[in-house]
Amino acid sequence: MVFGPLFSKEKFWLEPPSEKLRKELEEELKLSGADLKSHAWYHGCIPWEVSESLVANHGDFLIRDSQSSSGDFVLTSRWEQKTLHFLVKKTAVQSSETYTRVHFSLETEAFDSLPALIHFYVGSRETLTHWSGAQIQQPVNRTLPLSYLETAFRTTAATPIGHQGASDGSMSGEEWVCPRRTWPGPTASWADLGAGWTEPSSSPCRTSRSPSSSRSTSVAPSPSPSRRSDTGRPLPSPSGTIHQQHLDQVSASDLVGSCYTELYPGPQSYVERLRAEEGTSPGVEPLRTEDGNVYFCPVVETVSCFRPSRYQSALMHKENKPLQVGILRRVKELLAEVDPRTAAKHITKADCMVARILEVTPEMQRMMGVTSGMELLTLPHGQQLRLDLLERFQTMAIMLAVDVLGCTGSNEERAGLLHRIIQVAAELKSTMGNMFGFAAVMRALELPQISRLEQTWTALRQRHTEGAILYEKTLRPFMKSLNDGRESCPLSSTTFPHILPLLSLLEKSVAVGDGPEPWETVEVGVDVVMFHLGAARTIAQLGGIYRSNAETKLQGFQEQADVLEIFLTDFQMRLLWGSRGAEENQALRFSKFDQVLTALSNKLEPPVRRH
């Protein structure tokens, strides 16, 4: 057998699809999400040559059928000017005596379905494999129905000659696939693709001739055949590297605009027609277009953006225990060294990154379906962002409380630390306009384990009178007014609005405090809820202003890596719960740590026993 020619404009040029084909594609994309045909990033049995021509931009990806391993799938992606192919591993898992499930994976993470795998890697921006460092960002969507692609690109696997799978299941660009028939000439029509092809010779796949020249390229065989496990699946190559072997080369000009999805513009695309039918066809979800490409509905994220088990820190080892003394000491030193305004800027930078107010790329916007995290958190598919923000809020408050309770020196030393935290809260409120960070710091100060330290608060009033007055007369009343809906922040200076009540309303199952919320009292309940829901509608529309305000306030700001790190949630989770416990159940983590805080507080100032 011989290989068909590599993809080129002359060989794979397809004429505009008929109305029938457009309608078939529409019907495929309307199918249930459980049906792989409904996902436009799935291209079926297209040859690897064609897949490489489609992923033209950094972060592009698609899924296709493997031509060398029947029934398997290949993820083709473009990353750092290289086209990569990853075999999606399928593993049968016996869940009961009569039922077997199939898991899909690229490396270590396993998923119940191929769409779940794609949504995870797009939503979390995790690397596909450790060795490649590649990520997938935007899908390349098919514009022809799978039924037609099956007819046009039907292939059969050739015998692998010296082809070794790269490490962790990835594949080289050459899959050693031979076309069932030789391709017709450049002037062939659609009908020519379905009939009249000549059978290739049965000689081994050793050479390939360029479509544009008589030059041949020899393929040197590998010293040994492909390594396979007992199940027949290719094993990683000893070298652990990927080999991009191409039987022939095509110029960059041939690749530009040359793909089977390139269609001549018609009077009305199927996307336009879907939009036109939107009012009369309930259940048909209109597809979005941008620059001529078809995009999905927003990605529903189901995995937290915090991955403490994979977090690499300059301040702690890969494995660490909860509340490790050396790390706690370094955190205290950094908090003591940095001035309150600089600390507030670092907190604001980290807060705005998590909330997707700052550094939101076009790919992230397409993935969210909106332009800002402030809008996303008000929508149903923004639940994971809401949960992440609640996690950050709680973890920040606990870390600051630990910093105070872990100070085993004199009351005066703890009072000095309280004073510094109060100054940071004031900077977050007034200078940075970061109400989220302000609320987290205030929560730390209002925790019962902190507020009960009477001797420490007395020392604060004696030695840092202005700080005590600032906290009791300004900051606490302002925080209460925000929660009660009696106070709002000036838009011109706000970088991160007060969203905590909204998060608590929408994610009621995640507790953010010990006492009742303001809306849980009969007197003000409905009014407070209505205020915060109304504020949410406004917040959702002002993401651009918050971003602009944050960029202005952080302009020229030179972050310090160590200081920024202690305000990152991944670091704080590792510090508080250790490398093993950081990803345990959230409710369990918080419940256990509440007991730890109580024990630390009672050790500093034992409770008075009343007789």
Side-chain angles (χ1 to χ4, degrees):
M1 288 182 284
V2 296
F3 283 109
L6 284 183
F7 174 82
S8 69
K9 183 181 294 185
E10 289 75 21
K11 295 296 180 182
F12 288 92
W13 186 273
L14 301 181
E15 294 183 11
S18 64
E19 189 68 21
K20 178 183 177 183
L21 292 178
R22 293 177 188 236
K23 197 64 180 177
E24 286 181 15
L25 177 60
E26 292 175 20
E27 294 303 319
E28 287 181 353
L29 298 179
K30 293 177 187 177
L31 294 173
S32 165
D35 193 323
L36 200 55
K37 293 181 180 180
S38 70
H39 299 278
W41 40 253
Y42 175 56
H43 291 243
C45 62
I46 64 171
W48 66 267
E49 302 98 326
V50 176
S51 72
E52 290 197 343
S53 72
L54 297 179
V55 288
N57 301 314
H58 182 73
D60 282 357
F61 75 93
L62 59 83
I63 291 286
R64 59 183 175 86
D65 295 336
S66 172
Q67 296 173 316
S68 59
S69 180
S70 179
D72 287 335
F73 301 100
V74 175
L75 190 158
T76 299
S77 68
R78 184 76 174 173
W79 189 256
E80 294 181 348
Q81 299 182 345
K82 295 179 181 178
T83 302
L84 305 174
H85 302 263
F86 301 88
L87 181 66
V88 180
K89 306 180 186 72
K90 290 200 302 186
T91 307
V93 179
Q94 190 79 28
S95 57
S96 66
E97 294 183 359
T98 59
Y99 181 65
T100 301
R101 292 183 301 166
V102 175
H103 281 174
F104 298 81
S105 63
L106 289 175
E107 199 165 49
T108 56
E109 299 280 355
F111 304 89
D112 292 331
S113 67
L114 197 54
L117 180 147
I118 294 298
H119 289 167
F120 169 78
Y121 283 104
V122 173
S124 66
R125 296 303 173 87
E126 284 288 323
T127 55
L128 300 177
T129 61
H130 288 299
W131 70 266
S132 69
Q135 301 175 8
I136 55 175
Q137 297 174 348
Q138 60 275 345
V140 175
N141 299 295
R142 71 180 187 274
T143 56
L144 288 171
L146 292 172
S147 57
Y148 195 86
L149 297 178
E150 172 70 22
T151 302
F153 294 116
R154 186 179 294 114
T155 58
T156 184
T159 302
I161 299 178
H163 175 66
Q164 289 182 321
S167 68
D168 64 8
S170 66
M171 310 170 70
S172 73
E174 173 56 74
E175 269 202 282
W176 302 91
V177 177
C178 295
R180 184 178 299 278
R181 302 175 177 180
T182 59
W183 296 103
T187 59
S189 65
W190 275 110
D192 296 327
L193 289 176
W197 297 354
T198 59
E199 292 292 338
S201 66
S202 58
S203 60
C205 301
R206 302 288 295 190
T207 62
S208 174
R209 189 169 299 278
S210 170
S212 58
S213 70
S214 60
R215 175 172 52 88
S216 294
T217 304
S218 298
V219 180
S222 177
S224 62
S226 299
R227 301 167 61 240
R228 290 183 176 270
S229 66
D230 295 338
T231 60
R233 185 174 301 282
L235 292 172
S237 66
S239 63
T241 59
I242 187 169
H243 302 283
Q244 293 290 346
Q245 297 181 10
H246 291 281
L247 299 179
D248 210 342
Q249 302 294 325
V250 293
S251 66
S253 61
D254 287 333
L255 293 176
V256 176
S258 307
C259 66
Y260 78 91
T261 61
E262 182 167 348
L263 307 176
Y264 295 102
Q268 184 183 43
S269 69
Y270 65 85
V271 176
E272 293 169 338
R273 188 160 59 256
L274 278 177
R275 285 175 170 170
E277 296 172 354
E278 183 179 2
T280 57
S281 301
V284 177
E285 188 171 4
L287 302 176
R288 298 186 178 189
T289 61
E290 184 176 330
D291 300 330
N293 294 322
V294 182
Y295 291 90
F296 292 136
C297 295
V299 174
V300 179
E301 301 172 42
T302 57
V303 179
S304 172
C305 68
F306 306 128
R307 306 300 295 274
S309 63
R310 299 186 180 185
Y311 178 70
Q312 296 182 352
S313 170
L315 300 177
M316 64 177 66
H317 297 296
K318 185 176 181 181
E319 299 287 335
N320 72 289
K321 297 179 180 179
L323 300 178
Q324 208 160 308
V325 176
I327 304 173
L328 280 173
R329 184 182 301 114
R330 180 55 182 155
V331 170
K332 292 177 183 177
E333 291 173 355
L334 289 170
L335 287 175
E337 293 169 1
V338 67
D339 65 275
R341 180 164 297 184
T342 301
K345 288 186 176 181
H346 282 88
I347 293 173
T348 299
K349 175 72 178 292
D351 284 344
C352 290
M353 292 286 290
V354 173
R356 306 179 196 180
I357 294 173
L358 288 176
E359 299 187 19
V360 182
T361 65
E363 289 79 12
M364 292 174 64
Q365 291 176 342
R366 284 196 289 267
M367 191 173 64
M368 297 188 300
V370 292
T371 58
S372 171
M374 291 297 96
E375 184 176 1
L376 176 63
L377 64 83
T378 66
L379 300 173
H381 67 285
Q383 182 184 41
Q384 188 59 58
L385 177 59
R386 295 192 292 271
L387 295 176
D388 285 345
L389 287 171
L390 286 170
E391 174 76 58
R392 175 165 177 78
F393 175 84
Q394 286 281 65
T395 305
M396 176 72 77
I398 293 174
M399 190 205 74
L400 293 174
V402 166
D403 193 44
V404 175
L405 297 174
C407 181
T408 56
S410 63
N411 290 328
E412 288 72 17
E413 290 179 14
R414 282 193 296 279
L417 190 53
L418 275 181
H419 178 56
R420 178 165 288 263
I421 294 175
I422 290 170
Q423 289 178 310
V424 172
E427 291 290 343
L428 287 166
K429 169 187 173 292
S430 303
T431 305
M432 301 308 300
N434 178 3
M435 296 303 110
F436 181 82
F438 169 69
V441 175
M442 291 297 293
R443 176 55 56 89
L445 296 171
E446 293 173 346
L447 284 173
Q449 295 90 340
I450 300 293
S451 61
R452 66 170 292 276
L453 299 176
E454 294 182 4
Q455 298 173 20
T456 303
W457 286 100
T458 299
L460 174 72
R461 297 183 187 101
Q462 293 173 345
R463 292 182 172 269
H464 305 280
T465 307
E466 74 285 357
I469 294 175
L470 175 65
Y471 174 70
E472 293 173 356
K473 300 299 184 182
T474 303
L475 301 183
R476 282 187 67 186
F478 179 75
M479 187 76 254
K480 187 175 187 306
S481 295
L482 282 179
N483 288 332
D484 291 346
R486 293 184 285 106
E487 188 83 48
S488 59
C489 309
L491 180 60
S492 60
S493 61
T494 300
T495 59
F496 198 147
H498 186 52
I499 61 168
L500 189 63
L502 176 66
L503 298 180
S504 302
L505 280 168
L506 297 180
E507 303 298 334
K508 183 61 179 173
S509 60
V510 181
V512 294
D514 296 325
E517 302 293 353
W519 48 84
E520 293 178 334
T521 59
V522 177
E523 296 81 6
V524 298
V526 175
D527 289 340
V528 174
V529 169
M530 294 305 296
F531 173 85
H532 289 302
L533 291 179
R537 288 194 293 269
T538 303
I539 289 171
Q541 301 173 19
L542 300 177
I545 294 178
Y546 300 135
R547 183 194 70 246
S548 178
N549 290 342
E551 290 173 346
T552 300
K553 290 181 180 292
L554 293 173
Q555 188 173 10
F557 168 60
Q558 297 295 324
E559 64 188 46
Q560 303 172 39
D562 287 352
V563 176
L564 180 63
E565 184 169 3
I566 66 175
F567 295 124
L568 296 180
T569 305
D570 288 292
F571 174 84
Q572 294 171 354
M573 293 174 72
R574 286 275 301 274
L575 171 68
L576 298 176
W577 291 286
S579 53
R580 296 187 179 181
E583 292 192 0
E584 293 295 328
N585 176 267
Q586 184 190 65
L588 184 62
R589 282 190 287 114
F590 289 155
S591 174
K592 287 184 176 180
F593 218 90
D594 186 67
Q595 300 174 23
V596 172
L597 293 178
T598 300
L600 291 173
S601 179
N602 291 339
K603 184 177 181 181
L604 291 176
E605 295 188 22
V608 178
R609 295 183 179 180
R610 302 184 183 278
H611 299 285

